[in-house]
Amino acid sequence: MRDIRRKVRRSQTIVPFGVGGIIDLRGESFVAADIRSWAANAEQVDAPRLAAKLRVQGLRSAPVIPSGKAAFATRIGPVYVRFPKWLFCPQCRDMHLWSPDREVRDKQPNCGRCPGKSQLAPMRFIQVCRAGHMADINWRRWAHSKGEGHTQRNCQVRRLRFIATPESSGLEALRVVCTVCRAGRSLAGVSQKNILKQIGLECPGTHPWQPENDEADPCQETPQAVQRGASNVYFPITHSAIDIPAPAGAPEDDELTQKVVNHPLWPQFKDAEGSPMFDTLKTALANLCEVSEEFVDALRRRYVDDAAAIPPTVEADDDLSIDEWAAFSAPESVAGSKTFSVRRTHLGVRPDDPNSMQELAAGISAVVVADRVREVRALEGFSRYEPSSGDGEEGEGGRVVSVNTKARAEWLPAMESYGEGIFVAVDEARLSAWERLMPVRDWTRRIERNLDASFKADRLRGKSGPDLLPRFVMLHTLAHHFIRQLSYDSGYNAASLRERVYARSHAPGSRLPPQAGVFIYTAAGDAEGTLGGLVRQGQSPHLAETLIRLLESAQWCSQDPLCADSTGRSLANLNRAACHACTLLPETCCEIENSLLDRTLLIGDGEVPGFFRGVLQAALEESAGAVDPA
């Protein structure tokens, strides 16, 4: 018998099949329900820094079915609801409006009218709106929208057929026809803007997983017909953080302190002062961690004092990057742990090495390899039809829908992965001098004008800081080429690697240290970590050779000169000399959706001096000398 159990990996419950996402399995289509459907045995994920940033009490991950137990396990994971509910039979072409009471465990929906009981297929088109709602298209209304005569215009029967006519091609060949009054209409023009509004369809204000007793949201948005698998159906909003231990030698390094602050109740207790639960949480923490209540209270006061010492201009996004930048730029100051093990290394450039190596060593201030890191990724919500602008409901993009569609989410779905990585920091003095060059500043200012005009401005500013610095675009481009080169050298494919760019600007008057570095790490490791391919490439002499090769490969693109001379590419013209042939990566790799990239600031051209132009020129001269010694 064919095994039709539907299986989803834990990491897929965040992206791409998180809350609101559509998954296709063997001809069936489902949508992930919100977190109200999660079983109570969802596992706690310890990430207090990320939880505090997202203002939730905690994070949870979907439970894993033990190996070999899938056939006997009851429902312990997230719920996936069949969507769309309009199905059709590929043989007789009859359409069926499926209902939950017709579902049979581990059975696919079949046509009861055909002798072979063929499996029903989902309709290709659905409707979504900018408020994040999604529903089936009213195909009865569609079929009768061009009805002729009183009988067809007033027919209320739902007996429809989805037929393909041989007289034409494309969507014109597909028709939805009423089997009673014979009214019908082809799918030609179904994806046109406002086509559903023209036939009188409105957004129902619901989500596919909502029960009938859930009250619909009043929605004034115009529904749009899109293909079920289109990229604009689902835009997940995720956040991630690297697990950073307390500084070595600090009071937080104490074993009892770590036991308290890493407990799942700690984030809730830390913010509970003045609430009725304060004393209860303090007593519970003391008993569970086997410490006194005075110890727990003193620890909370210390954290409150430390938080008060942070300048008020620091934002939540900034807090995560500050801790991570401090840990990577000064690894000896961080206590090692089971989830974070880093050590400083070097490029291994000797005095007698070629000039290109000397130039590279002068521009790189620090190299750190991470033998083991833990990343936590959380899903905050999603938007549909248009990406969210990041500034709430009044923005130009789609509205953000929470993972809990009926109440404020007290926890968020998350997953953790263990891996390895390479951290490279750029010399601050050289970088500051380069940023002061007028051609560099003018070039970056043009990109920033496009950024200000983009609906993604607020979301991208969360990564780049209040001002877009040349270092951010340059280091972001370096990270992309670093990943592309490591995919050849380290044994990992590009989709298994991720970037973290530390180059954000700070508010005026801030005492926070400047950032200038990139961290490339594995994003597909399991609980046992990874195989060490990145750590090996991060050590001498491999890293210097990798960096030289990536700079050489960045100087040309198969789409040049169109790519190199571009004055604006991609969505909202947020890229310059960067395209799929030379710089862009899979979306899972990039922090900011393949935006703010430019090879010009990395290697330079006739007008703008790239930061690594000296390294590249020296390497080209050495290559020419090797070919023609004379």
Side-chain angles (χ1 to χ4, degrees):
M1 179 180 293
R2 185 173 58 157
D3 181 11
I4 65 166
R5 290 191 300 270
R6 296 98 175 185
K7 305 174 184 177
V8 178
R9 294 194 301 270
R10 172 184 277 182
S11 61
Q12 293 177 324
T13 61
I14 306 301
V15 174
F17 307 135
V19 174
I22 293 179
I23 177 174
D24 287 309
L25 291 173
R26 298 177 180 176
E28 298 180 277
S29 179
F30 302 90
V31 62
D34 66 4
I35 60 174
R36 292 179 295 165
S37 67
W38 283 46
N41 55 352
E43 301 177 10
Q44 295 282 346
V45 177
D46 180 32
R49 292 170 57 246
L50 185 57
K53 169 192 170 181
L54 299 176
R55 296 181 176 88
V56 293
Q57 297 179 4
L59 307 173
R60 301 182 189 179
S61 64
V64 176
I65 299 177
S67 178
K69 302 293 184 181
F72 309 101
T74 58
R75 187 193 68 77
I76 63 174
V79 169
Y80 287 81
V81 179
R82 189 177 302 281
F83 179 82
K85 293 182 174 61
W86 272 110
L87 312 175
F88 71 94
C89 175
Q91 292 186 14
C92 68
R93 311 300 293 187
D94 281 352
M95 294 177 62
H96 302 259
L97 183 59
W98 201 256
S99 58
D101 56 358
R102 299 176 64 182
E103 291 285 350
V104 179
R105 180 181 174 85
D106 292 336
K107 294 285 187 180
Q108 296 164 326
N110 297 321
C111 179
R113 302 171 186 173
C114 292
K117 293 186 176 181
S118 62
Q119 178 184 338
L120 298 179
M123 291 295 288
R124 186 189 307 178
F125 286 89
I126 58 175
Q127 71 175 43
V128 299
C129 78
R130 291 176 67 254
H133 301 121
M134 182 169 67
D136 282 88
I137 295 176
N138 188 335
W139 293 111
R140 187 203 64 79
R141 177 75 69 86
W142 178 269
H144 295 83
S145 60
K146 290 189 176 182
E148 299 178 356
H150 177 78
T151 303
Q152 290 187 352
R153 285 196 298 268
N154 293 276
C155 180
Q156 301 297 321
V157 180
R158 288 186 177 178
R159 293 179 58 184
L160 305 174
R161 298 188 69 204
F162 184 51
I163 62 176
T165 58
E167 291 81 9
S168 57
S169 60
L171 293 179
E172 293 183 356
L174 302 176
R175 294 180 58 84
V176 178
V177 179
C178 177
T179 59
V180 177
C181 69
R182 310 309 299 172
R185 181 175 179 177
S186 73
L187 296 189
V190 68
S191 58
Q192 293 179 1
K193 193 172 184 179
N194 298 331
I195 189 68
L196 299 183
K197 183 179 180 180
Q198 294 173 11
I199 64 173
L201 293 181
E202 299 179 351
C203 177
T206 59
H207 303 282
W209 57 84
Q210 288 185 244
E212 294 182 357
N213 57 356
D214 266 8
E215 184 179 354
D217 299 328
C219 182
Q220 303 299 323
E221 295 288 344
T222 302
Q224 307 293 342
V226 295
Q227 291 200 52
R228 190 180 73 250
S231 60
N232 63 345
V233 169
Y234 184 61
F235 297 100
I237 301 173
T238 60
H239 303 268
S240 65
I242 301 294
D243 189 8
I244 303 295
E252 290 80 5
D253 193 36
D254 179 75
E255 182 178 353
L256 292 178
T257 301
Q258 286 293 306
K259 191 174 183 180
V260 174
V261 299
N262 290 330
H263 196 277
L265 289 179
W266 171 254
Q268 185 178 356
F269 166 72
K270 189 174 58 173
D271 301 325
E273 185 176 13
S275 71
M277 293 295 295
F278 180 79
D279 292 332
T280 303
L281 290 171
K282 179 169 64 175
T283 303
L285 268 174
N287 293 335
L288 292 171
C289 298
E290 300 178 348
V291 295
S292 65
E293 293 186 16
E294 291 77 11
F295 180 85
V296 175
D297 202 29
L299 192 60
R300 188 196 65 83
R301 288 196 301 271
R302 184 191 311 158
Y303 270 78
V304 170
D305 293 341
D306 290 345
I310 298 177
T313 56
V314 179
E315 300 176 354
D317 283 331
D318 211 359
D319 288 341
L320 297 181
S321 69
I322 289 172
D323 292 341
E324 295 172 9
W325 168 256
F328 286 123
S329 59
E332 59 279 350
S333 66
V334 182
S337 68
K338 295 180 180 179
T339 61
F340 189 79
S341 176
V342 296
R343 51 191 170 89
R344 189 183 294 274
T345 183
H346 52 82
L347 290 175
V349 177
R350 299 184 301 271
D352 57 342
D353 281 336
N355 290 336
S356 60
M357 292 291 188
Q358 303 293 340
E359 282 286 330
L360 181 65
I364 302 297
S365 62
V367 177
V368 175
V369 293
D371 296 289
R372 187 173 176 86
V373 292
R374 172 177 173 264
E375 183 201 26
V376 177
R377 216 172 303 164
L379 176 66
E380 181 185 15
F382 62 90
S383 62
R384 301 198 191 278
Y385 195 65
E386 293 178 353
S388 166
S389 62
D391 55 357
E393 297 184 1
E394 301 301 325
E396 298 179 13
R399 187 180 306 169
V400 176
V401 179
S402 172
V403 292
N404 187 335
T405 54
K406 296 306 293 182
R408 182 183 179 275
E410 297 182 354
W411 58 272
L412 297 179
M415 57 86 62
E416 58 183 356
S417 62
Y418 292 84
E420 55 178 326
I422 306 172
F423 172 80
V424 176
V426 178
D427 183 73
E428 178 62 32
R430 280 199 168 203
L431 188 60
S432 299
W434 172 75
E435 285 185 313
R436 288 192 293 267
L437 296 176
M438 189 58 66
V440 174
R441 294 169 56 187
D442 291 343
W443 189 263
T444 308
R445 201 171 292 122
R446 298 173 196 170
I447 302 177
E448 190 166 22
R449 282 197 291 267
N450 292 123
L451 175 60
D452 292 335
S454 169
F455 70 91
K456 298 198 301 180
D458 291 330
R459 189 147 40 106
L460 296 180
R461 293 286 189 189
K463 294 295 184 181
S464 67
D467 297 319
L468 180 63
L469 300 178
R471 68 177 66 193
F472 186 89
V473 180
M474 185 273 292
L475 287 172
H476 188 207
T477 309
L478 174 67
H480 275 234
H481 284 274
F482 204 175
I483 290 177
R484 294 171 71 99
Q485 189 62 44
L486 286 171
S487 67
Y488 300 120
D489 298 341
S490 67
Y492 294 106
N493 60 55
S496 298
L497 302 177
R498 284 174 63 87
E499 66 173 12
R500 297 184 84 83
V501 180
Y502 302 101
R504 61 176 295 134
S505 59
H506 301 304
S510 173
R511 298 187 298 272
L512 298 173
Q515 302 176 0
V518 297
F519 180 52
I520 309 300
Y521 61 102
T522 55
D526 60 12
E528 299 300 324
T530 46
L531 302 178
L534 280 192
V535 170
R536 180 180 182 275
Q537 291 303 128
Q539 297 176 342
S540 172
H542 307 293
L543 180 59
E545 296 174 357
T546 298
L547 293 174
I548 293 292
R549 282 198 296 269
L550 77 85
L551 293 175
E552 290 177 339
S553 65
Q555 70 178 325
W556 74 279
C557 170
S558 60
Q559 294 192 25
D560 283 341
L562 294 178
C563 179
D565 297 339
S566 172
T567 56
R569 306 176 69 96
S570 77
L571 186 65
N573 292 328
L574 293 178
N575 291 339
R576 290 299 188 266
C579 68
H580 284 284
C582 61
T583 306
L584 303 190
L585 292 172
E587 291 185 1
T588 55
C589 303
C590 183
E591 286 187 302
I592 54 175
E593 304 165 356
N594 280 320
S595 301
L596 302 179
L597 295 163
D598 184 14
R599 289 184 294 136
T600 303
L601 292 177
L602 182 67
I603 59 174
D605 62 5
E607 177 185 353
V608 181
F611 181 76
F612 288 101
R613 183 174 62 176
V615 179
L616 185 58
Q617 287 179 345
L620 293 176
E621 292 173 0
E622 292 161 6
S623 299
V627 174
D628 186 10

